[in-house]
Amino acid sequence: MLKGFKSFVMRGDIVTVAVGLIIALALSTLIKAFTDFIINPVIARAQGGHSMGLGWQLGRAGNKNTYLDLGSFLSAAVYFLIFMAVVYFVIVVPYKHVQARRGIVVFADPGPLKTCPACLSEDLPAAALKCRYCGSEQPPSAAPGGRPAPGTL
């Protein structure tokens, strides 16, 4: 039972989705702070107030709705950066290490890409022989250093 649970949890797509959800949660916090403390005061400026902190009062002194609170926004930005660092060093790095020991590469840089001359799709793998979108034959890619790719001449 535990072996099956470990296999389920260690699937690459499960961890990728979990990391994506965590990043979305942190990004939503940053966006909420931006809207609550930057955008909302600018909009509320049309109504008419005083607050302490890092920021500017856009309207009448004392009106919290028109206070441009940069301190709260910077706090949310720092929170976002710290949260992402924790996610990376506590989840992603150990997961990459465990998967590398299993012979699986995760969170790797994408390989070289080329553009299809027929449909101009720019995301074809460099070794592709046919376009995944239009099905046209692809010219062989040159290997690094300007030499023809192996198996072509």
Side-chain angles (χ1 to χ4, degrees):
M1 184 164 131
L2 291 177
K3 185 177 179 182
F5 180 71
K6 178 185 173 191
S7 295
F8 170 73
V9 170
M10 295 307 290
R11 286 181 46 199
D13 54 350
I14 297 290
V15 174
T16 303
V17 168
V19 169
L21 289 173
I22 291 168
I23 290 171
L25 175 66
L27 186 59
S28 73
T29 302
L30 183 63
I31 292 169
K32 181 175 178 356
F34 181 74
T35 57
D36 287 350
F37 303 112
I38 303 292
I39 301 299
N40 291 350
V42 171
I43 293 171
R45 172 65 176 102
Q47 297 174 355
H50 182 70
S51 180
M52 299 298 289
L54 177 63
W56 296 278
Q57 186 67 49
L58 298 177
R60 196 171 4 145
N63 186 351
K64 187 177 178 182
N65 291 333
T66 60
Y67 185 69
L68 188 63
D69 193 355
L70 291 179
S72 294
F73 178 71
L74 290 176
S75 174
V78 168
Y79 167 82
F80 177 77
L81 292 175
I82 291 171
F83 195 81
M84 289 297 96
V86 168
V87 166
Y88 181 75
F89 290 111
V90 173
I91 296 175
V92 174
V93 170
Y95 180 72
K96 284 174 69 173
H97 179 70
V98 167
Q99 293 296 73
R101 286 185 6 192
R102 296 173 74 194
I104 301 169
V105 178
V106 293
F107 301 115
D109 292 331
L113 301 175
K114 66 180 176 181
T115 301
C116 174
C119 69
L120 302 178
S121 300
E122 297 178 344
D123 62 343
L124 298 177
L129 300 177
K130 284 191 171 197
C131 176
R132 71 174 80 166
Y133 302 106
C134 68
S136 64
E137 296 288 328
Q138 297 297 304
S141 297
R147 291 172 282 150
T152 60
L153 279 180

